[in-house]
Amino acid sequence: MNIELKRDGNGRIFSHVRQIWLHETPEERVRQEYLRTLVNEYGYSLGQIAEEMAVVERGSSKARADFLIWRTPEDKASGLKPLIVVECKADNVTIDQSTYTQGSNYAQYTGARFFVTHNHRETKYFKVDHARMAPNFDEIEDIPHADATSKEIDALIARLKTFKEDEFADLLGRCHDIIRNREHLDPAAAFDEIAKILFVKTGLERRLRQGHTRRNLFSTEFVEEQRKIYGDPVDTLFRETKAEYRADFIFQNDEKINLKYATVIAIVKELERYNLSDTSEDIKGIAFERFLGRTFRGEIGQFFTPRPIVEFMVRMLNPREGDIVCDPASGSGGFLIRFFEMVRQQIMADADREYQTYREATEADISLTEADRAHLLSERYSEIQQSLDPSIEGSRMWKLSNRCIYGTDANDRMARTSKMNMIMHGDGHGGVHHHNGFLNVNGIFEERFDIILTNPPFGASVEPTDVVLDGDIHISPDVERLYEERYGEPYKLARRKVNAVKGQPIATLFQLPKKNSGKVSKVKTEILFIERCLDLLKPGGRLGIVLPEGIFNNPSLAYVREFVEDRAKILAVVSLPQETFMSSGASVKASLLFLRKFDEQERADFNAKKVAVQIETESKYADEITAACVRLEAAISAAKKSRDAVARKTAQKNLTTYQKTMNERIRLEARTLLKERFDYPVFMYEAEHVGITATAEADDNELYPNPRVPTNVDKTALELFREFEKDPTPFFV
């Protein structure tokens, strides 16, 4: 038996369970649409379902479950315990822990073994263990279908949906070892094959979730069956999944899964019982990067920013809807993913508030009939839903996914990994490219970004022989036109800039590399990234960057610090423990630098003061310098007249040395005076515990509020920084 949604054209929707017409509020629409899923896709009959049924007395009011479902109509008629409780929410209501607790309570009251929380944003399934104290529920991958046997129900209960990051990291490690041992591939090539299979699995899981199909296509049983039709069913699935993302160039058109069938089956067997698409982003992200760190430590030189550091840095810069972010050394995409999640949560919460405010206003309007109220709520609901629909160009979520997130990585494996990682987290992958982070590409060019978050590679250098090649900057004419239309004149200017230096050293694009006789010298990669990030920021844009501590305290790098101070206000410097990056294979002690690029007014103020102190300091020494130069030049003239070459050379050297010494004295005194005239407070913090040990184990974390704040820490670094922003005075008392 199948049922269809029935509407009468007057703003009412039909309840098949209760056999009555109801005003179609957004809440009622979600409920009746999910009833259709329960009947048409799970196979339950209307005789097995009760709707809006009281589950417990609460004083003068009653708690009502959206649906109760029994194993059979006879069980329902006999008053036996139901099997499943369903709690529905309107799409403009965020399902959170309170919803899960409500569903659990209803299951507890009724004795149900399962409960479901549902709206179109999220559907989750839980098992309830009535022998346990509360909280006594665990998330699972699905609820039973109507014809499920007791054995199938027990098997479903045994399959927990989520798993811990250690388990996931170990799982990926086992898959990696299977490929290396059976196929004798190097670690990087083995990872590429795992990436393809994970890509297939997540694609199939999306289809499974959207269609509520009972058949798990990513299983050894299904693959063995399909082998009778296709010679290589997993590679066939890979081609189909790859086609969905053809425009994103995640994989080459001719790329295929290069594994023996027996190896593929072994990998599928390891992965088939886990649902990766619905596993917590935190668990998946931490585990994935932990696996990458274990696999590639010291082999391809890729270091990954620990999640607690990512979380802290993103929170410090406090992203908001409309901010455009870039990571020019994006690695596995950790910063971009967290930015996306944080802004998405803000958008959803704002939509929730907007709808609830409107709902309260309509409920308070006593002049409205129930039909009018339902009609108004449905209209407002539809408007808000459209603003959240990522498939509608121009919607809030579409803008976030397609116009606000950009990244690039010079390593093609990392660029691909970050794209896949973002797809699994909800999207934003379209702005991520395999490209040299120092060069303008597509939407990544100067003065474009509100926020830069990055952990650039340390220790390497950009050599004078690293030149801008045609392949680095060439794009097809149609793509060029697309970006010219999208970004206008600033993009054209950015393209002209890189085209002008084709064939020349990359460092010629920057000011920081020292130049000898007009030629650029070798420069540390992290130093060049500092300038690149400042260039990419809009006036007033914010930067969070991981840097080796030598940048902050090495006397020979004072010119780098002055370069930064001339262009931005330093907001905070947070020193990290030595072991922070050891689990990723890096032993360097690092700090986090947060700054805000000068806006137009600050830049004008700074430049004016810089000129003023320079003139003031030069004036202070003008008479002294004039007198000394007259004396020294006289000595040169005297030596020339006496034809004493040695004396002349000595006198000339004395003049040059004096001028150089006085220029440096004036520069340093002017710099000191400038700091006095352009003075502002900087937040400084030295952290001892940042959430990760040298062996990648979870540790106490004093950076931001979390369950593992050390007992001796009253306020975390983030909380102190927020207080400092409001009023730094108490910090200097």
Side-chain angles (χ1 to χ4, degrees), residues 21-57:
W21 289 95
L22 302 165
H23 295 297
E24 189 177 345
T25 63
E27 293 81 0
E28 197 60 60
R29 180 186 308 171
V30 171
R31 180 157 51 199
Q32 298 307 325
E33 286 178 347
Y34 195 62
L35 175 67
R36 187 170 175 269
T37 296
L38 292 170
V39 174
N40 297 357
E41 297 176 16
Y42 283 91
Y44 290 103
S45 69
L46 296 175
Q48 291 172 263
I49 303 172
E51 181 179 293
E52 269 283 278
M53 184 172 182
V55 294
V56 64
E57 295 283 348

Side-chain angles (χ1 to χ4, degrees), residues 10 12 42 82 150 180 184 231-232 333 353 374 396 401 436 439 442-443 475 488 502 519 544 564 570 586 663 717:
N10 295 313
R12 296 194 301 174
Y42 283 91
S150 295
R180 291 187 68 180
H184 307 293
D232 191 341
R353 286 191 297 270
R396 297 170 77 176
S401 294
N436 188 321
L439 301 178
N442 303 340
I475 56 177
K502 187 163 58 176
K519 295 182 179 180
V564 172
I570 298 172
N663 285 340

Side-chain angles (χ1 to χ4, degrees), residues 43 46 102 129 134 185 198 233 269 281 293 325 371 387 417 453 468 483 487 507 568 627 637 657:
L46 296 175
Q102 182 180 359
D129 183 353
L185 299 178
L198 288 174
K269 188 170 184 178
E281 286 87 353
V325 69
S387 77
T417 299
L453 284 156
V468 180
Y483 287 118
Y487 303 117
S637 297
T657 300

Side-chain angles (χ1 to χ4, degrees), residues 153-168:
I153 291 175
D154 290 339
L156 182 63
I157 288 174
R159 291 199 300 271
L160 283 183
K161 183 174 138 181
T162 58
F163 45 95
K164 295 180 179 179
E165 58 264 24
D166 284 339
E167 185 180 357
F168 187 21

Side-chain angles (χ1 to χ4, degrees), residues 567-584:
R567 289 158 179 79
K569 279 190 171 182
I570 298 172
L571 303 176
V573 177
V574 178
S575 178
L576 302 177
Q578 180 81 38
E579 64 269 16
T580 303
F581 293 95
M582 283 185 176
S583 62
S584 301

Side-chain angles (χ1 to χ4, degrees), residues 238-413:
F238 175 60
R239 289 198 301 272
E240 293 174 358
T241 309
K242 188 171 60 174
E244 295 180 38
Y245 295 94
R246 186 180 294 111
D248 297 305
F249 305 106
I250 297 173
F251 295 96
Q252 298 296 323
N253 291 333
D254 59 351
E255 209 160 349
K256 57 183 293 184
I257 293 176
N258 302 303
L259 299 174
K260 300 183 185 74
Y261 179 74
T263 307
V264 171
I265 283 293
I267 298 296
V268 171
K269 188 170 184 178
E270 289 285 350
L271 294 173
E272 65 182 350
R273 69 180 288 256
Y274 298 104
N275 188 323
L276 304 185
S277 295
D278 289 332
T279 297
S280 156
E281 286 87 353
D282 284 340
I283 288 176
K284 186 162 51 184
I286 292 169
F288 192 56
E289 292 182 10
R290 186 173 296 176
F291 161 69
L292 289 170
R294 289 178 188 171
T295 304
F296 293 134
R297 181 186 299 186
E299 295 183 56
I300 62 172
Q302 292 294 335
F303 302 136
F304 301 94
T305 313
R307 277 303 176 99
I309 305 301
V310 170
E311 181 73 19
F312 175 64
M313 292 177 68
V314 177
R315 288 200 196 189
M316 282 285 285
L317 295 187
N318 199 22
R320 289 289 178 260
E321 182 180 5
D323 282 342
I324 304 175
V325 69
C326 179
D327 182 349
S330 56
S332 60
F335 287 116
L336 303 179
I337 288 168
R338 192 64 191 108
F339 172 93
F340 175 80
E341 292 171 341
M342 197 171 289
V343 176
R344 178 175 58 183
Q345 289 166 2
Q346 292 173 11
I347 292 173
M348 292 298 190
D350 184 63
D352 289 349
R353 286 191 297 270
E354 189 177 348
Y355 176 71
Q356 292 303 325
T357 299
Y358 188 81
R359 180 179 180 179
E360 290 167 6
T362 58
E363 289 176 348
D365 189 346
I366 59 175
S367 68
L368 295 174
T369 65
E370 284 301 312
D372 290 339
R373 188 173 288 113
H375 176 71
L376 289 171
L377 286 174
S378 291
E379 279 192 338
R380 190 73 190 110
Y381 160 84
S382 296
E383 291 172 3
I384 293 174
Q385 280 302 106
Q386 286 189 331
S387 77
L388 300 177
D389 189 341
S391 68
I392 298 176
E393 185 169 342
S395 74
R396 297 170 77 176
M397 287 304 302
W398 183 90
K399 288 178 182 176
L400 173 61
S401 294
N402 295 279
R403 293 292 185 269
C404 291
I405 298 173
Y406 295 83
T408 184
D409 201 280
N411 182 286
D412 61 345
R413 184 171 289 106

Side-chain angles (χ1 to χ4, degrees), residues 17-242:
V17 173
R18 287 182 278 175
Q19 291 292 298
I20 57 174
W21 289 95
L22 302 165
H23 295 297
E24 189 177 345
T25 63
E27 293 81 0
E28 197 60 60
R29 180 186 308 171
V30 171
R31 180 157 51 199
Q32 298 307 325
E33 286 178 347
Y34 195 62
L35 175 67
R36 187 170 175 269
T37 296
L38 292 170
V39 174
N40 297 357
E41 297 176 16
Y42 283 91
Y44 290 103
S45 69
L46 296 175
Q48 291 172 263
I49 303 172
E51 181 179 293
E52 269 283 278
M53 184 172 182
V55 294
V56 64
E57 295 283 348
R58 286 186 177 173
S60 59
S61 63
K62 294 180 179 179
R64 295 182 175 275
D66 288 293
F67 296 112
L68 296 179
I69 305 170
W70 281 263
R71 286 290 302 275
T72 66
E74 291 74 24
D75 285 355
K76 177 185 175 185
S78 301
L80 299 181
K81 293 178 180 179
L83 179 67
I84 304 167
V85 173
V86 179
E87 182 62 22
C88 296
K89 297 292 182 184
D91 288 339
N92 288 98
V93 174
T94 298
I95 293 178
D96 55 19
Q97 189 61 44
S98 64
T99 311
Y100 309 144
T101 301
Q102 182 180 359
S104 169
N105 288 339
Y106 288 1
Q108 194 72 33
Y109 301 145
T110 60
R113 298 178 70 186
F114 301 93
F115 72 90
V116 180
T117 59
H118 167 77
N119 63 14
H120 291 119
R121 291 187 195 175
E122 172 191 287
T123 303
K124 288 194 174 185
Y125 314 97
F126 299 87
K127 70 172 185 178
V128 181
D129 183 353
H130 293 284
R132 279 165 48 191
M133 296 283 288
N136 62 341
F137 57 95
D138 298 291
E139 190 177 355
I140 54 175
E141 63 183 26
D142 206 349
I143 52 171
H145 284 65
D147 59 357
T149 64
S150 295
K151 184 177 179 180
E152 288 173 331
I153 291 175
D154 290 339
L156 182 63
I157 288 174
R159 291 199 300 271
L160 283 183
K161 183 174 138 181
T162 58
F163 45 95
K164 295 180 179 179
E165 58 264 24
D166 284 339
E167 185 180 357
F168 187 21
D170 290 343
L171 167 69
L172 294 176
R174 290 198 302 275
C175 293
H176 190 257
D177 289 343
I178 287 171
I179 293 174
R180 291 187 68 180
N181 295 338
R182 295 186 180 213
E183 306 285 341
H184 307 293
L185 299 178
D186 63 64
F191 171 75
D192 287 343
E193 299 307 314
I194 286 182
K196 295 171 190 175
I197 295 176
L198 288 174
F199 194 56
V200 171
K201 179 170 173 58
T202 52
L204 290 174
E205 286 173 354
R206 280 194 301 275
R207 297 175 211 167
L208 185 70
R209 185 173 64 247
Q210 291 165 359
H212 292 280
T213 177
R214 298 183 65 181
R215 190 75 189 276
N216 179 8
L217 304 184
F218 196 89
S219 66
T220 51
E221 179 187 13
F222 177 79
V223 171
E224 293 282 14
E225 287 179 9
Q226 291 298 297
R227 198 183 185 198
K228 300 171 184 175
I229 305 172
Y230 305 103
D232 191 341
V234 176
D235 195 56
T236 300
L237 290 170
F238 175 60
R239 289 198 301 272
E240 293 174 358
T241 309
K242 188 171 60 174

